[in-house]
Amino acid sequence: MTGSRLGPGPATWLLAVGLAALPVAAAAAPGTRLVGQPLIQDSSSEHPTMLTRRPIPALSPAQSELLERARTLRRSGQHEAARRALATLLGNAPHHPLALIELAGVHGDRRAWRAVETLARAERAATHDSLLLAPELTVALERLARPREAAEVVLEACVADDALDEWANAALLRLATTDPRGVRELLRRTAERISRPKLARSAARLEWRGDDLPAALQMLARADRDVRGAPSRWSFADELLAMGTARDSSGGIEVLFDLTSDPSLDANQRLFAARRAWQLQGGSGSPHKAALRLTHALRGVPPELWGDDFLLSIVRDLRQVGFTTDARALMAGLGSRGSSDPELRLERALSELRDGLSDRVLAELEALATQSEEAAFRHAEALFFAGRCDSALARYERVARDPQGPYTGAALERIFLLEDAEPRQALPLFGRLAYQQWRGESKPALALADSLYRTLPRGTLWAHAALALAAQREAAGDGKAALEPLLAAADSMPTDQLAPLARQRAGDVLRTWFKDDARALEQYEECLSRYPKAWNAPEVRRAVESLRRERRF
């Protein structure tokens, strides 16, 4: 029999199809206990046909021949003749599982789902066997539009034999599409009554489908308390992350956070979950929100166990978003090691720098400046923030000596600003502006940039103020207002080194905030026409090519 005889769709289950492929003598051997065994797999189904919890009695040669004859008749479509042969066999071997499965298959071929139900319920009651005809009865109830009753049959079989969890999970997920609330509540009660990891995962899947992740995590955590080894939440997180959707990925990350904060797990398990959550959260574009959560979730795990790279990345993120107290608390937990490690000393100094400029912080950064390129650059930045522009210029020049250095580009930008500044007495104000931007103080930075833009004479510093004002307006969500200072700088200072950048950013604003690709293209083309060898020309050319492909200009 093919899958089409049982009805369309992948939900169709095999009703004892192909049992002839199983040697009758082996199937009927005395004392054989085939519990939850996937006997035959039909091409249209991935679900097993289960037999019985009881030993299967042996069939005599005549009975085996009669069973084989019934199978042959069924395959040829002679269902009534097959039914009569099976009735004769059951008269001689009452309640025999092989005959019952074959008879249920005959009814299934004829779409006689009520007959399948009647047969299954009567035989299961007579034998007190919750596995007997379980898949067949489940199919029948599903086809009769009674998904909750079908789920009860699935769960009864699953509770009787945990080897059926995979089949049960697939069946319950499918049944829940028809009756989400009923199947979900039934599975929840069963999982609460019987603590078993696989059953809990099935319940968790339905809770997740119902947008109740806390309930899912509670079930999994309860099941984990009664078993040893890897928590069920590990596999549940992996399952969600493997889905690949944004919703499932965020759910997987939340499961990892839950593992991280579970004090019943050992430190290594919690840290492994934390590192993976951190890695995934960083890839999702919002790592800053994770840093503080992970810091709190890992309470009770000594910082010295975190690992240098992970600890440093968390401390750095906490500092960058202003949680300096938490960052310092983590570093304090390292004791003397935190005071001797150059990278951690740098982070401590930068945390203090966020809180305010002081001679002590500048002295600490100067002491660290020889330890790494980052420390040298941060020292130069701190001097610039403090208004010590000549000293800062000398430090920036040292950083820029390495053409391949990670901070060379940023140092060169500061050098251009400091060397060409007119009027020079305004430079300390730009240092203050840079400090506010570094600290993330958007409103004071916006106000200062606007003041500099409006009061400075047209020149290099004024162009810098124009670009800073545009950036602050975009950061404040007023991107359209960023266009005016950008166009003013590009048109008023066409020979300034910032003019190509101002023209490019004007095109970006028109494209992003105004959705005006035609005017954006004009700005990009003007930039390439006037400054074909500018440092940003390759990037502008790519934008032009992209626009022309999209708009077919």
Side-chain angles (χ1 to χ4, degrees):
M1 186 193 73
T2 65
S4 60
R5 286 190 175 184
L6 284 178
T12 304
W13 290 342
L14 178 64
L15 303 181
V17 177
L19 282 172
L22 183 70
V24 172
T32 300
R33 180 183 175 90
L34 300 180
V35 182
Q37 296 288 336
L39 282 179
I40 303 296
Q41 294 290 102
D42 181 65
S43 60
S44 65
S45 171
E46 58 185 24
H47 305 287
T49 293
M50 293 167 286
L51 288 179
T52 175
R53 302 178 66 183
R54 300 171 294 112
I56 299 176
L59 293 174
S60 68
Q63 291 170 335
S64 297
E65 183 179 352
L66 188 57
L67 176 62
E68 184 59 35
R69 180 167 173 266
R71 289 172 178 163
T72 302
L73 290 169
R74 180 187 170 200
R75 292 193 192 103
S76 64
Q78 300 180 58
H79 297 118
E80 182 57 31
R83 186 194 64 77
R84 289 196 298 269
L86 290 168
T88 301
L89 175 57
L90 287 169
N92 296 326
H95 313 301
H96 199 283
L98 297 179
L100 291 172
I101 290 174
E102 194 65 29
L103 181 56
V106 170
H107 292 323
D109 289 353
R110 302 171 68 181
R111 307 293 195 276
W113 304 116
R114 293 193 183 280
V116 174
E117 180 191 7
T118 300
L119 172 68
R121 291 198 185 281
E123 293 294 333
R124 286 159 63 89
T127 59
H128 304 287
D129 191 342
S130 56
L131 296 183
L132 183 64
L133 298 175
E136 292 79 3
L137 178 56
T138 304
V139 170
L141 292 171
E142 184 179 7
R143 297 302 172 84
L144 293 170
R146 289 149 62 186
R148 184 183 177 92
E149 292 180 56
E152 290 175 347
V153 173
V154 172
L155 286 171
E156 188 178 2
C158 180
V159 169
D161 186 354
D162 58 8
L164 305 177
D165 284 330
E166 185 176 351
W167 162 75
N169 176 64
L172 291 167
L173 288 176
R174 190 186 65 257
L175 292 168
T177 61
T178 305
D179 184 5
R181 182 175 179 179
V183 175
R184 180 180 169 191
E185 291 178 352
L186 183 63
L187 182 52
R188 180 190 300 155
R189 289 200 300 269
T190 305
E192 290 173 351
R193 179 170 55 89
I194 301 173
S195 180
R196 203 162 72 204
K198 290 183 180 179
L199 190 61
R201 280 201 298 275
S202 295
R205 291 183 187 102
L206 292 190
E207 296 295 348
W208 171 244
R209 279 190 174 189
D211 292 322
D212 195 347
L213 183 59
L217 293 175
Q218 186 177 19
M219 288 180 181
L220 292 170
R222 185 187 305 113
D224 287 341
R225 286 196 295 267
D226 300 328
V227 296
R228 293 182 178 181
S232 300
R233 283 165 288 176
W234 282 119
S235 55
F236 187 59
D238 288 338
E239 183 179 321
L240 292 180
L241 293 168
M243 295 293 183
T245 67
R247 177 180 180 271
D248 290 319
S249 295
S250 64
I253 292 172
E254 288 300 316
V255 178
L256 292 172
F257 275 120
D258 188 69
L259 286 163
T260 301
S261 61
D262 189 346
S264 68
L265 301 179
D266 65 47
N268 289 331
Q269 288 179 314
R270 294 173 66 185
L271 283 167
F272 185 82
R275 292 189 189 101
R276 193 172 182 205
W278 178 247
Q279 181 184 25
L280 293 167
Q281 194 73 49
S284 70
S286 55
H288 301 312
K289 296 179 181 178
L292 189 62
R293 286 189 65 189
L294 287 174
T295 302
H296 293 168
L298 284 170
R299 284 174 178 166
V301 179
E304 60 265 22
L305 299 180
W306 289 27
D308 291 348
D309 291 343
F310 178 57
L311 176 65
L312 188 61
S313 63
I314 293 290
V315 168
R316 181 176 290 119
D317 236 66
L318 291 171
R319 183 257 302 168
Q320 288 175 348
V321 294
F323 297 116
T324 55
T325 301
D326 296 275
R328 282 198 286 269
L330 274 182
M331 290 184 284
L334 293 172
S336 59
R337 179 178 156 225
S339 302
S340 59
D341 186 285
E343 289 186 301
L344 291 173
R345 282 181 61 193
L346 176 60
E347 281 304 318
R348 181 180 286 107
L350 292 175
S351 295
E352 294 181 8
L353 182 62
R354 281 191 61 91
D355 293 339
L357 293 160
S358 67
D359 291 338
R360 188 173 68 83
V361 172
L362 290 173
E364 175 68 356
L365 289 171
E366 183 177 13
L368 292 168
T370 59
Q371 300 294 318
S372 67
E373 292 185 65
E374 182 182 6
F377 178 72
R378 298 303 178 193
H379 178 225
E381 288 280 88
L383 291 170
F384 180 48
F385 297 161
R388 303 180 187 181
C389 298
D390 291 338
S391 298
L393 177 59
R395 302 308 190 278
Y396 284 130
E397 288 173 341
R398 292 178 189 174
V399 173
R401 288 173 187 170
D402 180 6
Q404 304 300 322
Y407 298 95
T408 299
L412 286 173
E413 288 186 23
R414 296 293 196 210
I415 291 171
F416 295 150
L417 171 64
L418 295 171
E419 286 184 337
D420 300 334
E422 287 294 338
R424 295 195 64 78
Q425 57 268 30
L427 275 177
L429 293 175
F430 278 86
R432 185 189 304 173
L433 174 61
Y435 183 50
Q436 291 169 342
Q437 291 172 326
W438 181 72
R439 296 177 68 185
E441 296 181 345
S442 55
K443 290 184 178 179
L446 176 60
L448 182 53
D450 184 74
S451 175
L452 291 169
Y453 174 70
R454 296 183 184 282
T455 58
L456 285 172
R458 298 292 172 99
T460 299
L461 282 185
W462 174 82
H464 277 281
L467 267 67
L469 176 60
Q472 291 303 312
R473 285 178 175 177
E474 285 196 83
D478 191 9
K480 291 186 176 181
L483 184 62
E484 183 269 326
L486 292 172
L487 290 178
D491 295 334
S492 302
M493 306 284 295
T495 61
D496 190 85
Q497 60 184 0
L498 290 179
L501 180 59
R503 191 71 66 181
Q504 177 190 1
R505 288 185 55 190
D508 295 342
V509 167
L510 285 165
R511 191 176 184 183
T512 303
W513 295 91
F514 288 85
K515 309 299 181 184
D516 192 338
D517 289 351
R519 290 176 64 196
L521 185 61
E522 290 176 1
Q523 292 299 320
Y524 294 145
E525 290 178 335
E526 181 72 11
C527 180
L528 293 176
S529 175
R530 291 193 180 197
Y531 318 105
K533 296 182 179 181
W535 63 271
N536 62 330
E539 186 177 354
V540 176
R541 287 193 185 93
R542 286 192 294 270
V544 169
E545 293 170 0
S546 175
L547 273 176
R548 285 175 175 168
R549 284 195 303 269
E550 294 174 6
R551 307 287 296 182
R552 295 184 180 180
F553 282 118

